[in-house]
Amino acid sequence: MSDLSAIVKAYDIRGVVGEQLNADLVRNFGAAFALLIKPESPAVVIGHDMRESSPGLAQAFAEGVTSQGLDVVHIGLASTDELYFASGSLNLAGAQFTASHNPAKYNGIKMCRPGAAPVGQDSGLAEIRDTVEQGVPAFEGQPGTVTERDVLTDYAAYLRGLVDLSRSRPLKVVVDAGNGMGGHTVPTVFEGLPIDLVPMYFELDGSFPNHEANPLDPRNLVDLQAKVREVGADAGLAFDGDADRCFVIDENGDPVSPSAITALVATRELAKEPGATIIHNLITSHAVPEIVTEHGGKPVRTRVGHSFIKEEMARTGAIFGGEHSAHYYFRDFWRADTGMLAAMHVLAALGEQDGPLSELTREYKRYAASGEVNSTVDDQVARQLAVKDAFAGRAGVLTDELDGLTVQLPDGSWFNLRPSNTEPLLRLNVEAPTEDAVRALTDEVLAIVRG
C-alpha cells in the first residue's frame, strides 16, 4: 500500500472520495482499527453523517472490523457527539464517518477507544496507518456480527439530564443546521423544552446547497444573523456539518465569541463544583482564565487540539474545557466535545434571567480580538523566528513556545503565531485592550510574516 500520510491527519482520516478514499481502503482501515482495539473492546460502534458517500464507506469499514472477529453496533445517521455518546454509554470503541465542515467531495473517519477516548497520531492513528501500508494480516477465526441500534433518543435524554431547562422562560431560537447533522439531532434534543424552534436548512444534504457547514467562516453566518433579526429571536445557533461544534448569535444578530461561551459555561460548571479545574487552549481570550479564577476555579492552559484538551482533562480531573474554535469538552460527557451541550448551557443561562443574550454575555467579553488571520508563507519556521527576534528583546515582553509562538506585551496585548499542520500557513491571533491596539499589533506582526 502506498504512503497514506496525506490522508491520515493528526486527529482523523480525511480525504477526497474516489481519489484518496474508497471502499477497499476503508475496509482495510476498519480491519486495522479492529486489530488496534481488540484487547479493550469486543465491538465497534459505527455512525455516519449525511454525505452521499458515508453509508457505503461505513459499511466497508464494518466489513473490515468484522473480518477481524469483532462485532459491529451500527447506529446509522448520527452527529459526531452522538457517536461519542454511544461509545461512552456502551463502553465500546467507535468510528464516525464524516468530513465535518469540509466540502461535499471529502469524507473521513473519526475514531475513539471505549469511553470516547481519542485516537490520534500518538494514540493509535500512526499504528493504523502502518498496518494498512504494510498489509493487514488475515484473521482465521469466526467473523464478527453486525447489529443495528438507534441511540438518538437516549442521547437526547442524557443531554437533558445534564442541563436543567425547566426554570427557563420560553425562548425563540433560530438554528441553522447548514444541511448537516444538526438537522437530525436538534428536533429530538429540543423536543419538550420551552423553546420555540425556528429551523433553517434542516434537510440532510451532503452537497450543502445553501452554504458550507462551517460556522467559523463569517460568510456562513449571514443567513442565520438575518433570520434572528427578522423573527425577533432570543438567540441563534449554527452547527457545523457533523454538529460537534456550535456557534452562538445574540438577539442583535451579532456573534458571541467562543471564548465568551467558554467563560459562561465554566461559571455554570463551577457553581456545581466549586474549585474545579477548567481547561482552555492558549488562543482563548485571557478573560477566560481571569473569570475562572474569579469564580474560584483553577484554569489550566493547553495546546490547541482535542487530543491535548482531553489528555489534560484526564490528568487534572477538569470538569470542562473550551477552545477558540467552538469545541467544548465536558467531563460528564466522557471528556468528549459536544456543541449541543454547550448550546443548552447558554439557553439555560439565558432563560433563567430576563435580560437579552447580549447583556448576559457582555460580562464575559473584556478585550478586543483579531480573530484568526492566515498568511501563506514559503518557510513557516523562518517567518516565525523573524517575529520572535523582532519582539523578544523588548522590555517587559514575555514569550513561550507551548504551541507556536506566544508573545505577551506589557500593556496587556498578546498574540499567538502557529503553523498549520496541513497547509503552508501561519495562523495569527491577536488580543488587546482596544480595537485600535489590536489593529496596530496585527499590522506590525503581519508586516514581518508577509515580508
Side-chain angles (χ1 to χ4, degrees):
M1 185 73 65
S2 59
D3 180 17
L4 297 172
S5 58
I7 62 171
V8 180
K9 310 290 188 181
Y11 311 122
D12 60 13
I13 295 167
R14 201 173 299 194
V16 177
V17 177
E19 296 178 20
Q20 297 171 302
L21 275 182
N22 57 46
D24 289 339
L25 178 55
V26 166
R27 194 174 292 109
N28 285 328
F29 278 131
F33 182 56
L35 286 172
L36 176 76
I37 55 90
K38 258 186 184 183
E40 54 192 291
S41 186
V44 177
V45 183
I46 299 176
H48 64 78
D49 70 8
M50 67 294 140
R51 292 166 189 267
E52 185 177 347
S53 60
S54 290
L57 293 179
Q59 179 181 342
F61 191 88
E63 291 168 358
V65 170
T66 56
S67 75
Q68 294 295 321
L70 291 191
D71 295 333
V72 164
V73 178
H74 206 308
I75 63 172
L77 277 168
S79 63
T80 292
D81 66 325
E82 186 183 344
L83 184 279
Y84 292 151
F85 164 79
S87 172
S89 60
L90 300 174
N91 198 31
L92 296 174
Q96 171 74 4
F97 278 79
T98 181
S100 186
H101 61 276
N102 286 131
K105 65 181 181 179
Y106 287 85
N107 214 322
I109 320 167
K110 294 181 177 181
M111 290 171 279
C112 59
R113 296 175 184 272
V119 172
Q121 275 288 350
D122 299 329
S123 52
L125 260 184
E127 188 175 336
I128 290 170
R129 184 192 71 197
D130 290 344
T131 300
V132 174
E133 287 178 349
Q134 294 163 14
V136 181
F139 176 68
E140 301 298 334
Q142 190 75 14
T145 62
V146 178
T147 57
E148 295 183 357
R149 180 166 182 162
D150 186 352
V151 301
L152 179 58
T153 301
D154 292 341
Y155 157 81
Y158 185 80
L159 293 180
R160 290 198 297 263
L162 293 177
V163 180
D164 181 11
L165 279 130
S166 63
R167 298 190 302 276
S168 172
R169 60 186 167 91
L171 299 172
K172 178 178 283 190
V173 180
V174 183
V175 176
D176 183 348
N179 299 108
M181 293 310 301
H184 175 69
T185 56
V186 168
T188 302
V189 174
F190 282 13
E191 185 179 2
L193 298 179
I195 294 172
D196 176 7
L197 175 62
V198 181
M200 292 183 68
Y201 312 142
F202 270 39
E203 304 78 21
L204 301 183
D205 188 339
S207 69
F208 306 113
N210 294 289
H211 59 72
E212 286 186 355
N214 180 17
L216 195 59
D217 186 337
R219 294 174 297 182
N220 298 323
L221 296 175
V222 171
D223 292 355
L224 174 61
Q225 292 170 296
K227 180 62 74 171
V228 165
R229 298 186 190 105
E230 176 192 329
V231 303
D234 296 291
L237 305 174
F239 289 91
D240 66 347
D242 61 337
D244 61 350
R245 288 188 296 155
C246 183
F247 287 71
V248 179
I249 303 297
D250 71 18
E251 80 284 355
N252 299 315
D254 296 325
V256 181
S257 79
S259 288
I261 300 301
T262 296
L264 185 156
V265 176
T267 61
R268 289 176 55 83
E269 293 287 70
L270 286 168
K272 293 189 297 184
E273 190 170 318
T277 297
I278 304 292
I279 305 295
H280 65 99
N281 78 22
L282 75 167
I283 300 179
T284 54
S285 170
H286 280 194
V288 173
E290 291 173 1
I291 291 167
V292 167
T293 301
E294 290 163 9
H295 284 79
K298 302 171 185 173
V300 173
R301 177 175 177 261
T302 73
R303 295 180 62 183
V304 173
H306 78 94
S307 63
F308 303 114
I309 296 275
K310 292 172 181 175
E311 179 181 308
E312 199 65 9
M313 288 185 77
R315 188 186 70 81
T316 62
I319 192 170
F320 172 66
E323 293 199 270
H324 70 296
S325 54
H327 282 286
Y328 305 105
Y329 307 81
F330 294 83
R331 188 185 64 195
D332 292 343
F333 199 76
W334 301 277
R335 296 190 290 271
D337 44 323
T338 164
M340 187 73 77
L341 187 53
M344 292 173 71
H345 271 286
V346 172
L347 296 179
L350 176 60
E352 290 167 6
Q353 49 90 59
D354 295 329
L357 184 57
S358 59
E359 184 179 299
L360 172 67
T361 56
R362 187 175 298 126
E363 64 182 287
Y364 303 109
K365 303 175 186 175
R366 298 184 174 180
Y367 306 104
S370 65
E372 193 158 86
V373 182
N374 291 321
S375 302
T376 302
V377 296
D378 293 330
D379 190 330
Q380 295 168 316
V381 174
R383 293 292 87 208
Q384 190 169 295
L385 184 58
V387 172
K388 181 180 179 180
D389 289 344
F391 282 88
R394 301 183 189 181
V397 169
L398 302 174
T399 66
D400 75 63
E401 297 181 53
L402 173 65
D403 191 352
L405 171 67
T406 300
V407 175
Q408 176 78 49
L409 279 66
D411 67 352
S413 303
W414 64 271
F415 67 86
N416 174 269
L417 189 65
R418 296 168 51 246
S420 166
N421 290 322
T422 58
E423 302 170 88
L425 299 175
L426 282 175
R427 307 189 189 281
L428 173 66
N429 284 269
V430 177
E431 183 173 80
T434 66
E435 295 285 355
D436 287 345
V438 166
R439 280 192 293 269
L441 185 54
T442 301
D443 290 346
E444 183 179 3
V445 176
L446 289 180
I448 303 169
V449 169
R450 297 174 179 176

